[in-house]
Amino acid sequence: MTELDTAPQRPDLPAAWTPAEVEAELYQRWVDRGYFTADPSSDKPPFTIVLPPPNVNGSLHMGHALNHSVMDALTRRRRMQGYEVLWLPGTDHAGIATQNAVERSLAGEGLSRHDLGREKFVERVWEWREEVGGRILGQMRRLGDGVDWTRTRFTMDEGLSRAVQTIFKKMFDDGLIYQAERIINWCPRCQTALSDIEVDHSDDDGELVSIRYGDGESSIVVATTRAETMLGDTAVAVHPDDERYQHLIGTEVELPLTGRRIPIVADEHVDPKFGTGAVKVTPAHDPNDFEIGQRHGLPNLTIMDERATITAHGPFEGLDRFEARPAVVAALRAEGRIVAEKRPYVHAVGHCSRCDTVVEPRLSLQWWVKVEGIAAAASAAVRDGRTKIHPAELNKRYFDWTDNLHDWCISRQLWWGHRIPVWYGPNGEVVCVGPDDEAPTGEGWRQDEDVLDTWFSSGLWPFSTLGWPDETEDLKKFYPTTVLSTGYDILFFWVVRMMMFGLYAMGETQPFDHVFLHGLVRDQYGKKMSKSKGNGIDPLEWMDRYGADATRFTLLRGANPGSDLAVAEEWAAGSRNFTTKLWNATRFALSNGATVARPLPSRDELTAADRWILDTLDELVSTVDTNFEAFQFSRACEALYSFTWDEFCDWYLEIAKVQISEGRVEATQSVLGHVLDVLLRLLHPAIPFITETLWTTLTGEESLVIASWPQASGGERDLDALAQIEGLKKLVTEIRRFRSEQGVKPGQKVVGKVRGACCVGLVDQVPSVRSITRLTEPGDEFTVSATLEVGLPKGAVKVELDLSGTIDVAAERKRLEKDLAAAKKELDGTTKKLGNEAFLAKAPAEVKAKIEERKAAAESDIIRINERLAALPEA
């Protein structure tokens, strides 16, 4: 433990930082004082972030904690820079996830949603939302999120419902929303269409079965992993240039088990190098087959219902798809139609992300958004620089989506969500109703049963939350939003959709100026966190154990644009140690009179150490600013960590002790106060709680939240001061190493002399060198028993030590002899291995290189230990 860690307690600053006792009260004080409430009438430039709305039934996980730490750091810094900051919070109604949760609750009561009926079920969901919907918002408070709670939104609140109906009708009237029968992802368990993001793909064990259609020269073999779907085949397709099948193109072949005859068509989609080069075409149960069917006018034969039960006539009717699969294969085998079977056959299979049911491609009548034009607009906004993506390397992935986007299925067969505002009349009428329109009434009129995909309403989030479609003051002030911070994994699913909607609804004005895409949080081995693997980390547990600041700092130190970050508990513990170091350093400085009450003395009144730390601090301000602007949070935090721990705590504070003891009190106190003032401001966006406590104690001001952000002076660096402190650092480091080699304990004082400092420009630093390295002044009986020479740019400094009485010579000799024996044994072993020709012939080059390194290290250790033994005085 150093003197810094045991500094006397300042009455108004506790001896230790205890986050659990402080954070909640501090946060509530910030909220009560209105620091996070935005004012649209302000003359300040706006800075806007809308929080990516977490699911209303969700709980704060590491991905949230990372993203919220990023957003809070951005908004706190901009607020300090004089911007009118709006960070708008809210939650998403999460259609499928929420409906499933409530249905599970009902199942516990022995009920289903159908027992309640639609209206009562929706009421039940709203009740459930009231019970659990505030959980994640409370967890955000624990993390320190500086959001404007007065503007909290929900994707199904009254204002957002109005926005959804408005844009649906506008797009419907513009011909951008239409109804059509297409292939969609279907969950037989949830009984709804799914978006791509609601489908998780995994490599599953299955089977690949090769089936012969037809007989003799007119036969053709196809392979499939879903044999049961052959009941719905309406063609076989081959590539038009495949010479093997030229004689069959345009002919028909009998489909086994059914008695139907189906055509053999030529289509360029078929890969002639894959399998047999012939594929079965089931337009109603495969998206690629559907496209082939459209091109060739093939019928769509549906052979499964919404529960994935076979509906085709014959012995398979009524079987579940997975029961039908082996039954169909067995029937084909009985007819001699199975050419080959491969089990297991690993292939990608889609699963519903909510219930893990295998997704079934299904032909279904759904509502769609025509994306061609609005996707092109979303692409153009990034290409012309209105919206900048960070990192720029992800532009290509963004363009891959926007330039090749298919129409978007927006209908879901659920009861919880924004119900599609379309009514059907008794005589085939179709009426789309806006928020200010009267819905048709009368006999025979009914509303569409489906609800909208959750991403439809969340795609409006950047402007609907600000009051659109009304021309509100918030919308005028805070749109377009400044930054969107989110994970790269939803670049398409959410970011692209917000871009399309924003540019369509807001007169080609982009929804955000910058898109910062961070990576995924992984465990310390780089593996994705999951409950099944047991490697998940709960940020709430980290906050309980180490505090919100340590949790945030751990995540921000790994936050680089587009890169995944690995985390482990020991890193959170390390961040906690950092906050402890900062706390103790500030306590020491305050106990020694650190103040901001006096201005800094002029440069010529400062020591080299003062000028060095001030210049280093000035460079830190520039470094932090540069990296914040580039969304390089990791680099900014590393710079802050290095300056705080290394430059300020380990070096300047030690020098400051000496300066104060020599009578340079007021100037040193002012420098200490200034450095802490600026440093705590710079650290505040990352670790707001501890910096608030320390800074208000130091300055007596109201709050760091509303303090001004530091600005770099831009002055030239004092190279003489830098050279002196770098010389001091090298000298101290070498003396510490030398002491250790001589067997002197770290805290033990040693009699010693420093010679030649005046010749290398370090005479003013000698008192600090002596203090830091615990060298005491020699008396009349000084005897040199060990000498160190340290080379510096302007010459060498000699350090002479009198070790008499400071070490146990006999014990030190015994220790060194033990180390020498171990080094000789290592040298002997490595020499023998490198002399073994049989070993050298088989060993990889990297193994031989490591053994050579070990041998060289052993040789070096032997020389060093022998020198040390020779230098020991006689016992």
Side-chain angles (χ1 to χ4, degrees):
M1 184 173 287
T2 66
E3 184 178 340
L4 172 62
D5 297 316
T6 57
Q9 178 178 344
R10 182 181 173 92
D12 54 352
L13 197 63
W17 170 240
T18 52
E21 298 177 7
V22 178
E23 290 174 349
E25 181 182 347
L26 263 184
Y27 185 83
Q28 193 57 48
R29 186 187 310 161
W30 293 333
V31 173
D32 292 342
R33 291 179 177 177
Y35 295 153
F36 305 142
T37 304
D39 179 7
S41 65
S42 167
D43 293 333
K44 298 177 182 177
F47 183 84
T48 314
I49 293 181
V50 289
L51 177 80
N55 288 352
V56 68
N57 64 327
S59 182
L60 196 73
H61 57 61
M62 271 299 177
H64 290 135
L66 166 63
N67 198 31
H68 289 217
S69 298
V70 164
M71 289 184 283
D72 196 47
L74 288 169
T75 52
R76 285 180 184 272
R77 175 172 173 265
R78 286 300 193 215
R79 190 179 291 112
M80 295 173 74
Q81 287 181 316
Y83 286 77
E84 190 61 40
V85 172
L86 170 60
W87 183 13
L88 192 148
T91 52
D92 190 282
H93 65 278
I96 294 179
T98 300
Q99 177 156 320
N100 280 351
V102 177
E103 287 196 76
R104 284 194 298 271
S105 177
L106 287 174
E109 304 172 25
L111 298 172
S112 73
R113 62 182 166 118
H114 299 285
D115 293 326
L116 271 65
R118 184 168 193 146
E119 185 176 340
K120 292 293 184 182
F121 177 77
V122 171
E123 288 178 7
R124 184 70 171 261
V125 181
W126 277 106
E127 292 171 4
W128 181 87
R129 181 253 179 184
E130 290 301 316
E131 293 174 9
V132 305
R135 178 175 56 193
I136 196 167
L137 300 180
Q139 293 165 351
M140 289 165 53
R141 290 171 176 263
R142 288 200 58 192
L143 193 63
D145 285 7
V147 297
D148 185 345
W149 293 111
T150 68
R151 289 175 166 84
T152 304
R153 304 305 300 267
F154 178 55
T155 50
M156 284 186 63
D157 66 29
E158 184 178 349
L160 268 69
S161 294
R162 175 178 170 80
V164 167
Q165 292 178 45
T166 299
I167 202 161
F168 187 98
K169 179 168 175 55
K170 176 175 171 59
M171 297 181 82
F172 181 90
D173 292 344
D174 287 347
L176 296 179
I177 287 181
Y178 64 94
Q179 201 174 28
E181 198 173 42
R182 300 268 181 85
I183 292 285
I184 46 86
N185 300 308
W186 180 265
C187 177
R189 156 51 186 88
C190 296
Q191 297 280 289
T192 183
L194 303 175
S195 67
D196 290 338
I197 198 172
E198 293 160 337
V199 178
D200 294 332
H201 292 274
S202 60
D203 289 335
D204 294 0
D205 285 345
E207 61 180 1
L208 183 66
V209 181
S210 298
I211 310 168
R212 177 171 52 82
Y213 290 6
D215 297 296
E217 293 185 358
S218 62
S219 67
I220 193 165
V221 176
V222 299
T224 180
T225 58
R226 301 164 67 218
E228 71 281 4
T229 63
M230 60 84 58
L231 299 171
D233 286 0
T234 56
V236 174
V238 298
H239 193 276
D241 298 332
D242 194 331
E243 295 181 358
R244 294 172 294 177
Y245 302 117
Q246 291 297 312
H247 66 291
L248 294 177
I249 295 173
T251 66
E252 290 185 342
V253 66
E254 182 173 316
L255 181 65
L257 306 182
T258 68
R260 290 190 288 114
R261 295 189 67 79
I262 58 176
I264 298 175
V265 299
D267 195 281
E268 292 187 350
H269 170 77
V270 179
D271 181 358
K273 297 179 181 178
F274 181 77
T276 64
V279 297
K280 58 191 287 298
V281 182
T282 320
H285 294 278
D286 184 274
N288 294 322
D289 292 4
F290 178 79
E291 297 295 333
I292 293 174
Q294 291 291 101
R295 287 192 287 272
H296 296 276
L298 301 175
N300 301 317
L301 184 59
T302 299
I303 55 111
M304 290 185 214
D305 64 15
E306 66 278 2
R307 297 188 181 277
T309 299
I310 301 298
T311 58
H313 294 293
F316 313 107
E317 187 173 1
L319 294 180
D320 175 79
R321 55 183 166 162
F322 298 124
E323 296 172 334
R325 185 170 299 169
V328 167
V329 172
L332 290 167
R333 190 183 298 112
E335 290 191 2
R337 295 290 173 182
I338 301 297
V339 176
E341 297 177 71
K342 184 176 181 181
R343 296 186 185 88
Y345 178 73
V346 179
H347 62 127
V349 177
H351 296 256
C352 174
S353 63
R354 304 302 176 189
C355 68
D356 203 38
T357 300
V358 173
V359 169
E360 189 65 37
R362 175 177 169 81
L363 186 63
S364 180
L365 182 65
Q366 302 284 346
W367 286 95
W368 303 81
V369 169
K370 185 178 182 181
V371 300
E372 183 179 1
I374 56 177
S379 179
V382 173
R383 284 192 161 98
D384 64 25
R386 279 174 286 163
T387 296
K388 293 179 175 62
I389 293 176
H390 308 267
E393 292 79 16
L394 288 178
N395 281 349
K396 181 181 183 302
R397 188 183 301 183
Y398 177 85
F399 295 138
D400 286 343
W401 282 114
T402 56
D403 296 350
N404 301 285
L405 205 55
H406 295 292
D407 286 359
W408 169 24
C409 176
I410 57 171
S411 46
R412 298 290 180 269
Q413 289 64 55
L414 304 171
W415 287 356
W416 172 244
H418 292 281
R419 195 165 175 182
I420 289 176
V422 172
W423 270 254
Y424 305 103
N427 299 313
E429 301 96 332
V430 178
V431 176
C432 182
V433 175
D436 300 321
D437 299 333
E438 290 289 335
T441 57
E443 186 176 352
W445 283 93
R446 62 180 179 85
Q447 186 178 358
D448 195 296
E449 294 290 327
D450 290 352
V451 300
L452 288 164
D453 177 11
T454 299
W455 296 99
F456 189 94
S457 51
S458 61
L460 314 181
W461 192 249
F463 52 94
S464 63
T465 53
L466 298 175
W468 187 91
D470 298 324
E471 284 289 330
T472 64
E473 292 302 309
D474 277 0
L475 195 64
K476 293 176 184 175
K477 176 74 174 181
F478 297 112
Y479 190 89
T481 68
T482 315
V483 177
L484 170 71
S485 175
T486 191
Y488 65 66
D489 54 326
I490 57 172
L491 174 60
F492 162 63
F493 302 107
W494 191 43
V495 179
V496 169
R497 288 169 178 177
M498 285 190 291
M499 289 289 285
M500 292 191 301
F501 276 143
L503 293 160
Y504 172 74
M506 299 300 294
E508 298 186 4
T509 301
Q510 70 281 2
F512 12 75
D513 300 330
H514 299 272
V515 176
F516 169 67
L517 298 168
H518 60 72
L520 306 179
V521 184
R522 299 182 179 273
D523 71 11
Q524 60 185 312
Y525 305 109
K527 295 180 180 178
K528 185 176 181 180
M529 293 184 184
S530 71
K531 291 181 180 178
S532 61
K533 293 178 182 176
N535 64 342
I537 300 174
D538 186 349
L540 299 173
E541 292 181 3
W542 274 15
M543 285 190 273
D544 289 339
R545 208 166 294 140
Y546 307 112
D549 288 330
T551 301
R552 293 164 58 114
F553 200 66
T554 301
L555 294 168
L556 287 170
R557 284 184 77 184
N560 286 317
S563 300
D564 292 348
L565 66 152
V567 296
E569 184 154 349
E570 54 262 37
W571 301 335
S575 295
R576 188 267 318 274
N577 294 343
F578 173 70
T579 60
T580 300
K581 187 83 168 178
L582 179 66
W583 181 267
N584 289 336
T586 307
R587 282 184 64 241
F588 168 80
L590 291 172
S591 69
N592 281 277
T595 182
V596 294
R598 295 188 296 268
L600 283 172
S602 61
R603 296 278 292 190
D604 56 8
E605 297 179 69
L606 299 175
T607 66
D610 294 335
R611 299 194 303 276
W612 164 77
I613 196 67
L614 291 173
D615 288 351
T616 306
L617 178 68
D618 201 49
E619 289 183 349
L620 177 67
V621 175
S622 297
T623 298
V624 171
D625 274 335
T626 298
N627 286 300
F628 257 108
E629 293 298 324
F631 301 95
Q632 295 284 352
F633 303 99
S634 175
R635 294 178 184 175
C637 287
E638 282 303 317
L640 287 163
Y641 181 95
S642 177
F643 176 88
T644 303
W645 195 292
D646 300 331
E647 313 293 30
F648 183 61
C649 294
D650 284 358
W651 291 108
Y652 183 73
L653 285 183
E654 296 298 327
I655 298 171
K657 295 175 190 176
V658 178
Q659 293 185 172
I660 290 172
S661 69
E662 290 181 336
R664 300 188 58 82
V665 179
E666 289 192 0
T668 304
Q669 290 171 336
S670 295
V671 172
L672 280 170
H674 176 79
V675 172
L676 277 173
D677 177 27
V678 173
L679 179 59
L680 292 170
R681 292 173 194 251
L682 293 174
L683 282 165
H684 181 70
I687 49 174
F689 291 105
I690 191 171
T691 52
E692 172 83 343
T693 303
L694 294 175
W695 187 83
T696 53
T697 302
L698 171 70
T699 65
E701 298 290 338
E702 178 184 339
S703 175
L704 188 46
V705 178
I706 54 174
S708 60
W709 183 255
Q711 291 186 329
S713 69
E716 292 186 6
R717 176 123 209 179
D718 187 327
L719 297 181
D720 176 64
L722 175 63
Q724 286 195 50
I725 302 306
E726 289 303 314
L728 176 147
K729 285 183 180 181
K730 183 173 182 182
L731 190 53
V732 167
T733 300
E734 289 299 311
I735 294 173
R736 282 173 168 168
R737 180 190 59 78
F738 188 61
R739 281 171 51 105
S740 176
E741 289 178 351
Q742 303 306 309
V744 180
K745 296 177 182 178
Q748 193 172 6
K749 293 184 178 180
V750 177
V751 178
K753 288 183 178 180
V754 179
R755 300 185 182 277
C758 58
C759 301
V760 296
L762 290 183
V763 66
D764 292 339
Q765 307 308 322
V766 170
S768 294
V769 171
R770 297 184 64 85
S771 174
I772 296 171
T773 59
R774 298 186 180 277
L775 298 184
T776 60
E777 291 287 349
D780 295 336
E781 298 180 357
F782 178 71
T783 301
V784 178
S785 54
T787 302
L788 166 71
E789 190 169 289
V790 181
L792 296 169
K794 293 183 180 180
V797 173
K798 182 179 291 185
V799 180
E800 298 171 341
L801 303 181
D802 181 356
L803 301 178
S804 57
T806 61
I807 61 172
D808 184 334
V809 175
E812 181 65 9
R813 185 178 296 280
K814 185 176 181 180
R815 182 185 69 83
L816 289 170
E817 288 173 346
K818 183 179 178 181
D819 291 346
L820 181 61
K824 288 180 176 179
K825 183 179 180 181
E826 172 75 353
L827 179 61
D828 182 58
T830 53
T831 301
K832 285 180 179 178
K833 277 193 175 182
L834 293 173
N836 186 331
E837 294 184 4
F839 169 77
L840 293 176
K842 296 179 181 179
E846 59 270 19
V847 173
K848 289 185 284 188
K850 287 182 180 179
I851 294 174
E852 287 171 352
E853 289 176 7
R854 287 169 50 194
K855 180 185 176 185
E859 291 171 338
S860 176
D861 287 343
I862 290 170
I863 294 171
R864 177 180 58 80
I865 295 169
N866 278 326
E867 288 177 350
R868 173 69 187 120
L869 282 167
L872 280 177
E874 293 298 325

